[in-house]
Amino acid sequence: MTLPERFPLGIIEPVANLVLGYVRQIPGVAQATIAGSIRRMRDTVGDIDILIEAEAGADIIAQFLRFPDIAEALSKGPVRASVRLKSGLQVDVRLVVPAVHGAALLYFTGSKEHNIAIRSRARSLGLKLNEYGVFDGDRCLACGTEADVYKALGLPWIAPELRENAGELKAAEQGLLPNLLEATDLKGDLHVRTRVSGAGDAMEEVALAARAMGLEYLAIADGLRSLHLPMGLDLEGLRQQMDKIDALNSRLQGFTLLKGAEASILEDGSLGIPDLLLERLDLVVAAVHAPLKLTPRQQTLRLQRAIAHPCVAILAHPLCRLINEVDGLEFDMAAILDTAVERGCALELNAQPLRMDLPDRYCRQAKERGVLISVSADAGNADELARLRYGVGQARRAWLEPENVLNTRSIHELRHWLTALR
């Protein structure tokens, strides 16, 4: 079987953490860190990069090569190795002494384009930058921490998620780096499902898990049963779910469940739930499920009609892509953002590992146009709420700040926003 060149971040990071755990227990390892595109939280990953700190002379590489999941060693030497795991994934490890950790971590985090840009800046200052540090001739000016390296180049530390040579150096020079979204800024999740396969956790269990994470609210947004959502609710089931949410809210302390639904966007842009029922919901998430293969103009008009509906608050997973499986919709993103601005609704950044939709480049465009982003785990059970961290990572790559994200609002602020939207 031919493997794809890149894999979803949420699928690869757990594998990387297993390898990292093995490396960290090797005698002589002072520290080990995942670098590369995983550290930059890119939505897809080509291989796993691990930077290992150990004193010179430690026999770390030979011990790493005993990791039981290695299928073959592609290359090996005293301070580096590349291996292929039994799953087909490639892992590259590099050994450095602790004194140069900062310079090495910056170099092996990348991106390639960011590294080229900061090396060019070093040359413009009459300096040299490599994985061992910043040098003025033979004298090392900085190497111990990333912050030291950036400071030697006249810059503040730049978050890994921004390191794509997409304006971050200029922003750093001007003191205009964004105050990036943090996971602790999120107050809730506005797209949680309880009927993924008929075995979803009870709403109360998910609510308690969310409260334990420090969240204030969740919106339950199941879809209606259809050919594409065979485990969805019927209309009566949605009405009953709304009553259950009211009952749960009467006993949940310090937490709110919002009555929502994921309304299918039909081919003509109308919604698959009657208006009389939509009007009873706190929040409506609209999403395309099928058909996917319309012309770009048809898809654009379809989405514009849907988000113009007065009950729709969020356009969910706008591209409808599944990484390495479904390319997704083709439409005029600029036109959709314009319609979202006019209407005041939000677009979703769905952190389901195969989706990661809306991608970071479009989220950044949304920020520039004033369109709010809703970061969602698209969770079907309590454990899947942990996906929010991937959504936060994508939001940070898009330069999003807390005020650009809908679900950083308190429940009272959110209710006010929803009322004003209608």
Side-chain angles (χ1 to χ4, degrees):
M1 182 181 72
T2 302
L3 293 175
E5 293 184 1
R6 301 188 68 85
F7 304 84
L9 170 65
I11 304 298
I12 299 308
E13 191 191 45
V15 179
N17 285 330
L18 287 175
V19 181
L20 184 68
Y22 177 84
V23 169
R24 284 177 170 170
Q25 57 81 41
I26 295 175
V29 170
Q31 185 175 342
T33 309
I34 295 172
S37 51
I38 295 178
R39 186 167 182 242
R40 301 198 316 276
M41 295 298 285
R42 188 170 169 183
D43 56 355
T44 60
V45 176
D47 52 30
I48 297 169
D49 299 291
I50 296 180
L51 184 67
I52 305 172
E53 289 182 50
E55 294 298 341
D59 188 21
I60 305 300
I61 297 299
Q63 295 181 73
F64 164 71
L65 292 173
R66 299 190 185 107
F67 181 58
D69 199 38
I70 292 175
E72 62 174 324
L74 303 175
S75 65
K76 56 184 177 181
V79 296
R80 68 185 72 203
S82 292
V83 302
R84 192 172 308 283
L85 302 182
K86 294 173 183 176
S87 63
L89 287 171
Q90 181 171 322
V91 179
D92 299 323
V93 299
R94 176 68 184 266
L95 184 64
V96 299
V97 295
V100 301
H101 170 258
L105 183 59
L106 193 158
Y107 181 84
F108 290 106
T109 294
S111 66
K112 177 181 178 181
E113 293 77 12
H114 180 81
N115 286 349
I116 290 172
I118 57 174
R119 286 200 300 270
S120 176
R121 180 179 178 84
R123 286 194 298 272
S124 73
L125 297 172
L127 306 173
K128 178 183 177 180
L129 171 65
N130 58 29
E131 64 263 46
Y132 301 106
V134 180
F135 294 87
D136 184 358
D138 293 331
R139 183 167 65 98
C140 182
L141 303 181
C143 59
T145 70
E146 288 186 326
D148 290 339
V149 173
Y150 280 115
K151 184 177 180 180
L153 299 176
L155 298 171
W157 181 79
I158 298 174
E161 297 92 338
L162 298 183
R163 299 178 194 175
E164 300 292 344
N165 195 30
E168 69 273 16
L169 292 190
K170 183 177 181 180
E173 287 176 347
Q174 298 175 344
L176 297 176
L177 287 172
N179 173 34
L180 293 177
L181 179 75
E182 301 283 353
T184 51
D185 293 320
L186 298 184
K187 299 296 190 294
D189 188 328
L190 299 174
H191 191 178
V192 174
R193 296 165 295 112
T194 63
R195 294 180 63 86
V196 179
S197 63
D201 292 344
M203 286 187 288
E204 185 168 11
E205 184 176 347
V206 178
L208 294 175
R211 186 170 67 181
M213 291 171 60
L215 301 181
E216 297 179 11
Y217 55 83
L218 294 177
I220 303 300
D222 286 319
L224 289 190
R225 186 178 303 145
S226 68
L227 178 64
H228 304 282
L229 294 171
M231 298 306 299
L233 299 168
D234 58 22
L235 290 176
E236 181 55 33
L238 180 57
R239 294 187 185 95
Q240 292 175 4
Q241 185 183 80
M242 293 164 65
D243 292 338
K244 290 178 182 177
I245 289 173
D246 285 336
L248 275 174
N249 281 331
S250 68
R251 65 174 186 268
L252 286 172
Q253 298 296 317
F255 194 85
T256 302
L257 284 175
L258 295 167
K259 293 175 285 189
E262 181 178 314
S264 289
I265 300 174
L266 306 181
E267 185 170 347
D268 65 355
S270 61
L271 303 181
I273 299 177
D275 283 356
L276 287 176
L277 198 50
L278 293 175
E279 291 165 1
R280 291 184 54 195
L281 297 167
D282 296 316
L283 176 143
V284 176
V285 176
V288 169
H289 298 109
L292 302 182
K293 298 299 182 182
L294 301 181
T295 68
R297 174 171 171 75
Q298 288 173 320
Q299 293 288 22
T300 300
L301 294 173
R302 175 192 199 181
L303 294 176
Q304 286 178 315
R305 181 181 178 190
I307 60 180
H309 192 290
C311 291
V312 171
I314 300 168
L315 176 63
H317 47 77
L319 296 188
C320 296
R321 70 169 183 173
L322 293 175
I323 295 171
N324 294 333
E325 295 180 18
V326 178
D327 291 336
L329 308 183
E330 295 182 16
F331 57 85
D332 184 342
M333 179 61 73
I336 296 305
L337 292 175
D338 287 342
T339 304
V341 169
E342 293 170 8
R343 173 78 214 299
C345 67
L347 271 57
E348 181 185 58
L349 196 174
N350 185 305
Q352 201 265 42
L354 292 180
R355 289 198 183 278
M356 302 300 274
D357 180 8
L358 204 61
D360 51 25
R361 65 187 182 278
Y362 293 128
C363 288
R364 190 170 177 184
Q365 291 177 23
K367 173 185 176 177
E368 292 167 353
R369 291 173 181 247
V371 176
L372 289 172
I373 296 295
S374 177
V375 177
S376 162
D378 196 6
N381 56 54
D383 290 342
E384 289 175 352
L385 289 171
R387 295 172 177 170
L388 280 172
R389 66 178 300 275
Y390 298 123
V392 170
Q394 293 304 293
R396 289 169 64 87
R397 287 179 56 82
W399 297 50
L400 297 194
E401 302 176 83
E403 59 265 32
N404 307 129
V405 176
L406 175 60
N407 47 318
T408 60
R409 287 158 170 72
S410 70
I411 184 62
H412 301 294
E413 293 168 333
L414 177 66
R415 287 192 183 279
H416 178 77
W417 181 85
L418 289 168
T419 299
L421 187 64
R422 294 192 182 188

